[in-house]
Amino acid sequence: MNIPPSFIAAAASLAVYVVVGGSALAGQQPDVAPSTSGAHETRRTPTWTDTSPHKSGFVQANGVRLHYLDWGGPGETLLFLAGLGHNAHIFDDLAPEFTDRFHVLAMTRRGFGQSDCPATGYDVATRVADLLGFLDALRIKQVILAGHSIAGDELTAFAAAHPERVEKLTYFDADDDPVTDPRAREIRAGNQPEAPELPKQALVSWDALFRFLYSMLAITPPSRALEASMRDSFLVHPDGSVERRTPANVYREMMKGYTFAPLDYTRIKQPTLSFYSDPSTAPDPERQKEVAAMMSSFIARIEKSGPQIRIERIAGSHHYMFIDHQDEVTRKMKLFLAVESDRAEPAKPGN
């Protein structure tokens, strides 16, 4: 893979979205005509059925058409946002856990999945405007936001710009800090971000792609959510090989947007739950130390927001802890949201 070594050494599991980039796909895609504003080409993928209990829809927001999934449910709206390279389907397994008390949705940002893919608009301010337009289009006055990885940019900036629209926040390895992140420093110094590239042998078939991603992301197969996300992010050629839908420049622009985002965590006043993966899952001792130091920096920065921030470290977890440790994440998130399931345990001091 054509990934700068400094990126991997500096971030390991926190930066896995930079490595995997275009890993995502949705199951059975609806027969819809491409939008005139740059929608991805739509092709059906063979012999696979999306079994997650959601409905699929589109809204026009801030000049682009955005795809979303709706699992239904009563009560307040809980909206999930995916990490870089993924789409709403990455929450196909987690989202249904909350439909007993919440109306659960997941939105796919511009450039990915079935959402429109314009050439521009990947800065954080535009992505926040997309999110605001999405909520307005669905007449959602207030929302609980939960985001993975680079979605933390949108959570932080949206909560600061529109505090009256956000009730609570949940980060999944998502409250990155462009001020101290070595990747962002390289870009500010004039180095161009490189788009993630998957090895050629991973693109010869769906099976090859699945095997590669399961291994790289340390996710035990099968994962309905990961496979659904991949099927919405890749096209299939007649010979069975696959190709990423999202152009390389979108990834470059997303990384630039992150690098220059004025993320002010001191403006987050909403109750916030911030999950962190385990640095010991990085591939070697040197990287474990680097990731641990980076996490400590991120935690110190977000804790400046005040005592409404709750930090949860998930032992043994990787960057996709909501998949590889779904039960624990669900339990702790329900406790945070004051929705205690029958099997939930009382919160322990310091957890």
Side-chain angles (χ1 to χ4, degrees):
M1 284 182 290
N2 184 20
I3 304 297
S6 59
F7 276 24
I8 299 173
S13 64
L14 277 180
V16 76
Y17 60 79
V18 177
V19 181
V20 84
S23 65
L25 139 172
Q28 295 176 313
Q29 300 168 6
D31 291 318
V32 294
S35 167
T36 56
S37 55
H40 298 296
E41 180 181 356
T42 298
R43 301 183 192 174
R44 285 193 177 275
T45 57
T47 64
W48 188 85
T49 301
D50 182 0
T51 59
S52 186
H54 53 59
K55 295 179 181 179
S56 176
F58 295 88
V59 299
Q60 198 73 20
N62 196 30
V64 293
R65 189 181 70 158
L66 300 175
H67 180 237
Y68 71 97
L69 300 176
D70 185 345
W71 285 268
E76 303 155 292
T77 299
L78 170 59
L79 176 64
F80 288 95
L81 301 176
L84 184 61
H86 288 284
N87 51 66
H89 284 277
I90 198 65
F91 300 107
D92 270 4
D93 289 327
L94 181 66
E97 297 288 336
F98 297 91
T99 55
D100 57 337
R101 297 290 184 91
F102 298 97
H103 181 191
V104 184
L105 306 171
M107 185 195 85
T108 298
R109 69 172 58 81
R110 65 170 64 202
F112 298 91
Q114 296 180 51
S115 291
D116 280 354
C117 189
T120 60
Y122 299 97
D123 58 287
V124 174
T126 302
R127 285 151 50 195
V128 165
D130 288 354
L131 177 54
L132 179 63
F134 174 83
L135 295 176
D136 287 346
L138 294 181
R139 299 179 181 179
I140 299 171
K141 294 183 178 180
Q142 194 172 50
V143 67
I144 299 168
L145 291 175
H148 177 228
S149 202
I150 206 167
D153 299 358
E154 290 141 351
L155 266 64
T156 301
F158 188 87
H162 306 284
E164 75 285 353
R165 303 295 293 269
V166 181
E167 184 177 354
K168 294 182 181 179
L169 299 166
T170 296
Y171 293 82
F172 304 116
D173 252 0
D175 52 339
D176 293 354
D177 179 8
V179 174
T180 60
D181 189 335
R183 299 164 298 166
R185 286 203 298 265
E186 290 186 10
I187 296 171
R188 285 196 295 271
N191 296 319
Q192 289 296 312
E194 295 192 30
E197 294 183 6
L198 296 170
K200 291 181 180 179
Q201 62 269 27
L203 300 176
V204 298
S205 68
W206 282 123
D207 287 345
L209 181 64
F210 293 157
R211 285 195 302 270
F212 172 77
L213 291 175
Y214 277 126
S215 175
M216 189 183 71
L217 301 179
I219 295 174
T220 301
S223 167
R224 174 175 63 178
L226 180 63
E227 294 197 7
S229 182
M230 287 190 289
R231 291 184 186 274
D232 229 21
S233 292
F234 284 82
L235 301 173
V236 187
H237 296 298
D239 65 357
S241 64
V242 295
E243 176 187 0
R244 191 172 61 197
R245 283 183 167 194
T246 300
N249 191 57
V250 170
Y251 292 94
R252 297 188 186 101
E253 293 302 311
M254 286 283 291
M255 285 307 299
K256 288 179 183 177
Y258 160 71
T259 295
F260 296 102
L263 303 178
D264 185 356
Y265 290 102
T266 64
R267 296 179 64 187
I268 298 176
K269 302 306 177 185
Q270 298 87 350
T272 300
L273 176 63
S274 187
F275 286 104
Y276 282 90
S277 55
D278 189 341
S280 70
T281 60
D284 59 63
E286 180 180 354
R287 289 182 181 137
Q288 290 170 12
K289 291 180 182 178
E290 290 170 342
V291 174
M294 190 179 235
M295 283 188 179
S296 295
S297 170
F298 292 168
I299 291 172
R301 184 169 173 83
I302 195 172
E303 283 183 331
K304 291 181 180 179
S305 297
Q308 75 278 11
I309 304 292
R310 177 172 177 172
I311 304 297
E312 287 283 1
R313 298 173 175 86
I314 306 297
S317 70
H318 295 264
H319 189 54
Y320 291 76
M321 83 279 287
F322 61 93
I323 293 178
D324 65 36
H325 284 64
Q326 179 180 307
D327 287 347
E328 183 176 1
V329 167
T330 298
R331 177 177 62 82
K332 291 185 175 182
M333 192 172 166
K334 283 187 173 184
L335 287 171
F336 166 72
L337 296 174
V339 180
E340 186 169 349
S341 67
D342 293 338
R343 60 191 175 123
E345 300 172 5
K348 297 178 181 179
N351 283 358

